[in-house]
Structures are given as structure tokens and as C-alpha cells.
Amino acid sequence: GQQLNQSPQSMFIQEGEDVSMNCTSSSIFNTWLWYKQDPGEGPVLLIALYKAGELTSNGRLTAQFGITRKDSFLNISASIPSDVGIYFCAGQLLNYQLIWGAGTKLIIKP
Amino acid sequence: EAGVAQSPRYKIIEKRQSVAFWCNPISGHATLYWYQQILGQGPKLLIQFQNNGVVDDSQLPKDRFSAERLKGVDSTLKIQPAKLEDSAVYLCASSRRYGYTFGSGTRLTVV
């Protein structure tokens, strides 16, 4: 079945550093979504991208929909402790179902 | 708007027992999804409803899992009998079109 390759699997960063993660696919998607999941909670939508080449920001988060429609990246600027969690990319199919990446676990070094 | 409500939050059962989870989606969201999330993995779709009809249940283990969405609103997911490998978080989500809103999930432990 369809799969998304999300990298890196985990990141150890210092507070204040910028973070970058990405997802690639062999398939084309019409919509890319980025979610964050905190322990014990369901995923929360951070950014939705609807057009190839689109660059969208949400506070310190910036995400881009790749021009080939097969990839997307998420950047977090000036990370803070509450950014810790697992970030998932998801590509949305025409029937609105989501294909999920395996997640990027963000850990901030004390 | 109120979020997606799920209950219970936690459940511990013995293998071969039965368990049921409940979900109340956001008002007006026609599409409802049940996902299974095993620790360290992304969510895996079990079943998708559009109003009270099933759109996709291709990944639902139908020999032990069942789901219904009466009147196109609330939904229940049942496992009977449970196996050890069913230990996971069961997430309910609802949507109008793009992007989903997830509930907090039910963490199931089968011992």
C-alpha cells in the first residue's frame, strides 16, 4: 500500500534551535497535513497544505507542499520546551483518507 | 465548538474478553473514522463512516472487530474477543472535508 517516508525518526535539539523534518512519497497527494501528538492525546492539526508549492506559516511553524506533490517539509523556528512531542505528516487522498508517516519525535535537551 | 469526545480514556482487559469504545464526533461532521495506533507508530485506519454508512472497512479485522454509527452521529467500536496484539490507543476522528479533528483516544491494554 501507499507509504510516506518521514525523517528524521527522532531529533535531539537545544532550546532555541530551528528544527526541520520532511516527508516523501512515491504517490501524489492533493493535500498534505502536519499533526503534533502529545503523550496521551490524539494528534492535533498544525498546518494544512492544499496546493503544490504552497508555503504556509502558523506562528513559529512553516510548512511547504512540494512542487512535485510528492513531498512536504515542516520547519519550527526557535524551539521551546512545549514543542516536544511527535510530529506526523499525512497525505490526504481524494476520498479524504489519510496516509501517515511514522512520526518524528522531538526531544529538547536540557 | 466542542471537540471529539471519546470514552473510556483507559481500559484494561484480559485476553478473550470483550470491550467497547464510544465516540461522539463534532456536530455537523458527516465523516467519522476509527484509527488504531500502536505505540511508536502512526495511526492506522480501521473504518471510515460517511453519515451512517461504511465507506471503507478494508483494514478492520472483521472476525473480531465491529463498528456501527447509528443515526449518523455517535459511533461504537467493539472487539470480541480481544487478543494481546490489540493493545493500542484507539482514536476516533471526524471531519467535514479537509483535515481531521481527533479525540483523545482510548488506551486499551490486553493482559
Side-chain angles (χ1 to χ4, degrees), chain A residues 35 37 40-42 96-98, chain B residues 9 37 48 56 100 103-104:
Chain A
Y35 285 85
Q37 188 171 25
E41 298 295 330
Y96 304 120
Q97 288 185 13
L98 297 184
Chain B
R9 283 300 305 270
Q37 187 176 25
Q48 175 185 354
D56 185 348
Y100 300 178
S104 296

Side-chain angles (χ1 to χ4, degrees), chain A residues 26-105:
Chain A
S26 57
S27 303
I28 289 173
F29 290 103
N30 293 305
T31 301
W32 279 92
L33 305 163
W34 284 92
Y35 285 85
K36 179 179 182 243
Q37 188 171 25
D38 292 325
E41 298 295 330
V44 173
L45 182 65
L46 298 174
I47 293 180
L49 302 158
Y50 303 112
K51 289 194 309 185
E54 179 181 356
L55 185 72
T56 298
S57 294
N58 177 8
R60 293 177 298 106
L61 277 60
T62 302
Q64 184 157 28
F65 192 148
I67 201 73
T68 64
R69 294 165 62 194
K70 292 183 178 180
D71 62 334
S72 177
F73 72 76
L74 174 71
N75 286 341
I76 305 173
S77 62
S79 58
I80 60 177
S82 61
D83 291 335
V84 164
I86 302 177
Y87 292 80
F88 289 100
C89 63
Q92 191 159 29
L93 303 173
L94 289 175
N95 64 2
Y96 304 120
Q97 288 185 13
L98 297 184
I99 306 297
W100 292 81
T104 296
K105 188 171 185 178

Side-chain angles (χ1 to χ4, degrees), chain A residues 3 6 9 37 41 43 86-89 100-105, chain B residues 35-45 59 85 87-89 91 102 107:
Chain A
Q3 288 187 340
Q6 185 172 352
Q9 191 174 16
Q37 188 171 25
E41 298 295 330
I86 302 177
Y87 292 80
F88 289 100
C89 63
W100 292 81
T104 296
K105 188 171 185 178
Chain B
Y35 279 86
Q36 179 193 60
Q37 187 176 25
I38 292 172
L39 188 66
Q41 299 180 16
K44 170 191 161 188
L45 179 67
Q59 298 195 80
E85 59 261 36
S87 294
V89 175
L91 295 163
F102 282 87
R107 181 176 296 277

